[in-house]
Amino acid sequence: MRTETYRSWLVGEVLLVALLASATALFATSSFLQPSYALPEARIAVDTAVSVAAGIVAVLASVRFRVDGRVLDLLLAGGFWSIAFGTAAFGLVPALGGGGLGPVAAWALVGARLLGVALLAAAPWTSHRVTARNRLLLVAGTGVPGVLFVLVLGLRTALRPEHAASVEGGWVVAAAGLLAALWLVALAGFALRFRRYGRDLDSWMSLAATLALFADLHLVLAPALSSERVLQGDFLRLVAFGSLLVGVWRAIAEAEFGRAVADERARVAREIHDGLAQYLFAVSTQVSMLEAGAPLDEVLPRLKRAATAAQQEARFAVLALSTAGGSGRFDAALRRYVEVLTADGALDVELDVDPQVRLAPDEQIEVFRIVQEGLGNARRHADATRVEVAITQRNGRRLVTVRDDGIGFDQGGVASGLGLESMRRRAEAIQGRLNLRSTPGEGTAIEVVLRPA
């Protein structure tokens, strides 16, 4: 499937290149086509659109980087930030000021584009991820303007700060040729990534790089940087950044969908761990009693109750996985689980469920799991002999409390384990808040404050 998609994309890319190459050749050989148009208002509009589009793409790439931590997205953010900042500062500001572009502003604009496209060309050739995401984003956000500021200082020293309608000559041709070469590197990199991974963003980046490549080839044929004239290639550049907006937006949406799938898979894993593991533990407790010589006629009824409780557990699992509601007795299921867990007499559980407290179906699922985890921790890790479980209402707030008399622990010196993190996530999933209090030698108390009813 991926191979067929790549082939279809490659055919479209070849046709686009052929069309753009033909148009560029026609432009280079025809005498009746103008290289540029004296449209100062259109020049401002084009630069504004490019700056805004590049800025939005930089923000979206930054969002992707904060979520995934891929260096590729960091380079994309830095590259588009350089193009957006440079176009606004060195293209728009001089034009809005009423003067010509001037050598300093013109070459600063070229420098901003070169820096931006160089970062974009490097992006597809990186594949690793980083953890210090906020720090690196700050470095990129401040480093790009810093580099451009140093560039402007150097240009002011090297060039005369004169005003002119345009900047032309062989150096413009060289700069445009270098820009086109960098776009070609970016095109090749993103094309290879699309072939390898089949990601939608890579195909859109390849499309934008193709359009931008020919936009700068037009600048090679008509080497003039002006704040009053619009070149043929400027329209291609505008389309390129428009396509980038679409591509990055689609990539963000795809990433959100992927994270939703991952979250759902994680939730299914929690259901299996928190449900099946607990009941296996209860069953193993009964088997251990048999091995220890407990009378068969006493253990078998408990095993039967465990099987009955497992049926109730299956109903809760279905509710959790399908996010559907249910009308079954929540407190009855919880009491049945407590009976199985405490059948060997090693743990005494006092369960107090206020009949006035109403739990929504999604709350029933998560509260059931939180209590399960709390009881399991009290028995397996806390060496507790007594646990108080209460679902009550106090001062208009619905509370779920699991308090044991176990050994407790130092909250400052012990990292949260998988069980505590699981309970915290479950509380947050129903807009609740989990509070934990524990003191060595004095037990542990877990309290969940549910959302307003």
Side-chain angles (χ1 to χ4, degrees):
M1 182 65 179
R2 181 182 298 175
T3 302
E4 292 299 324
T5 302
Y6 174 74
R7 287 176 180 172
S8 300
W9 170 85
L10 185 60
V11 170
E13 182 70 15
V14 170
L15 291 175
L16 176 63
V17 170
L19 178 62
L20 292 174
S22 301
T24 303
L26 178 64
F27 169 76
T29 57
S30 299
S31 58
F32 61 88
L33 290 176
Q34 299 182 45
S36 63
Y37 303 91
L39 298 170
E41 292 83 3
R43 173 79 269 167
I44 292 175
V46 169
D47 284 345
T48 301
V50 168
S51 179
V52 170
I56 294 175
V57 173
V59 171
L60 294 177
S62 300
V63 172
R64 277 172 53 91
F65 174 71
R66 288 199 63 185
V67 172
D68 297 329
R70 293 188 299 176
V71 176
L72 178 146
D73 293 320
L74 178 64
L75 293 175
L76 289 181
F80 287 119
W81 171 229
S82 179
I83 294 173
F85 180 82
T87 303
F90 309 126
L92 278 176
V93 172
L96 293 174
L101 196 59
V104 174
W107 287 111
L109 176 60
V110 171
R113 287 182 181 175
L114 284 171
L115 174 61
V117 181
L119 293 174
L120 300 183
W125 307 99
T126 62
S127 58
H128 55 283
R129 299 172 185 263
V130 294
T131 55
R133 301 172 188 178
N134 292 336
R135 187 185 312 162
L136 289 175
L137 270 181
L138 180 62
V139 170
T142 58
V144 167
V147 170
L148 297 181
F149 178 73
V150 173
L151 173 65
V152 170
L153 291 180
L155 290 172
R156 284 186 176 276
T157 303
L159 301 174
R160 291 175 296 174
E162 60 186 7
H163 292 282
S166 64
V167 176
E168 305 175 2
W171 285 107
V172 177
V173 174
L178 181 56
L179 282 169
L182 289 172
W183 280 119
L184 182 60
V185 173
L187 169 59
F190 283 107
L192 290 175
R193 283 184 61 87
F194 184 62
R195 179 183 180 183
R196 185 179 306 157
Y197 304 113
R199 293 182 179 133
D200 195 40
L201 176 62
D202 296 328
S203 67
W204 285 95
M205 286 297 302
S206 300
L207 170 63
T210 304
L211 294 169
L213 164 62
F214 282 93
D216 285 316
L217 286 179
H218 276 268
L219 184 58
V220 171
L221 299 175
L225 300 172
S226 172
S227 60
E228 298 180 358
R229 304 187 70 84
V230 178
L231 305 180
Q232 298 274 2
D234 289 325
F235 297 105
L236 283 178
R237 186 172 288 106
L238 191 60
V239 175
F241 281 91
S243 64
L244 279 172
L245 273 179
V246 176
V248 177
W249 186 264
R250 284 170 58 94
I252 291 288
E254 181 182 352
E256 289 295 333
F257 176 76
R259 279 191 294 276
V261 172
D263 289 344
E264 182 64 17
R265 288 175 177 173
R267 189 162 69 95
V268 170
R270 288 199 304 272
E271 295 304 324
I272 294 174
H273 171 269
D274 296 347
L276 183 59
Q278 299 287 352
Y279 279 106
L280 286 177
F281 177 75
V283 171
S284 68
T285 299
Q286 308 303 319
V287 174
S288 297
M289 293 176 63
L290 283 176
E291 292 177 343
L296 183 63
D297 57 349
E298 292 183 7
V299 176
L300 282 180
R302 295 171 185 167
L303 286 174
K304 183 178 180 180
R305 286 198 297 270
T308 303
Q311 293 178 351
Q312 188 69 35
E313 161 65 20
R315 190 184 74 82
F316 272 96
V318 171
L319 283 173
L321 297 180
S322 64
T323 65
S327 57
R329 291 288 305 279
F330 166 79
D331 56 339
L334 192 56
R335 292 183 190 281
R336 192 174 296 116
Y337 173 75
V338 168
E339 288 175 5
V340 173
L341 186 67
T342 60
D344 60 353
L347 184 68
D348 180 27
V349 176
E350 181 180 335
L351 180 61
D352 178 20
V353 179
D354 187 345
Q356 302 300 318
V357 176
R358 297 285 184 247
L359 299 179
D362 61 329
E363 291 176 323
Q364 292 183 25
I365 297 164
E366 304 301 350
V367 168
F368 186 81
R369 298 302 189 204
I370 289 170
V371 173
Q372 273 187 318
E373 189 69 43
L375 290 173
N377 287 343
R379 178 173 178 129
R380 292 192 301 269
H381 307 303
D383 293 333
T385 59
R386 178 177 174 81
V387 182
E388 296 177 0
V389 178
I391 301 177
T392 58
Q393 186 165 312
R394 186 169 64 243
N395 298 327
R397 298 187 306 170
R398 296 175 300 155
L399 305 175
V400 179
T401 307
V402 181
R403 182 181 293 106
D404 67 59
D405 63 352
I407 59 176
F409 59 90
D410 182 4
Q411 291 183 245
V414 178
S416 296
L418 175 62
L420 292 177
E421 285 302 316
S422 175
M423 286 189 284
R424 200 178 305 278
R425 285 196 302 267
R426 289 187 179 281
E428 292 172 354
I430 51 177
Q431 295 85 50
R433 185 179 72 255
L434 185 141
N435 301 315
L436 174 68
R437 298 187 302 275
S438 185
T439 304
E442 298 183 11
T444 301
I446 297 169
E447 181 184 77
V448 177
V449 182
L450 299 177
R451 67 190 180 220

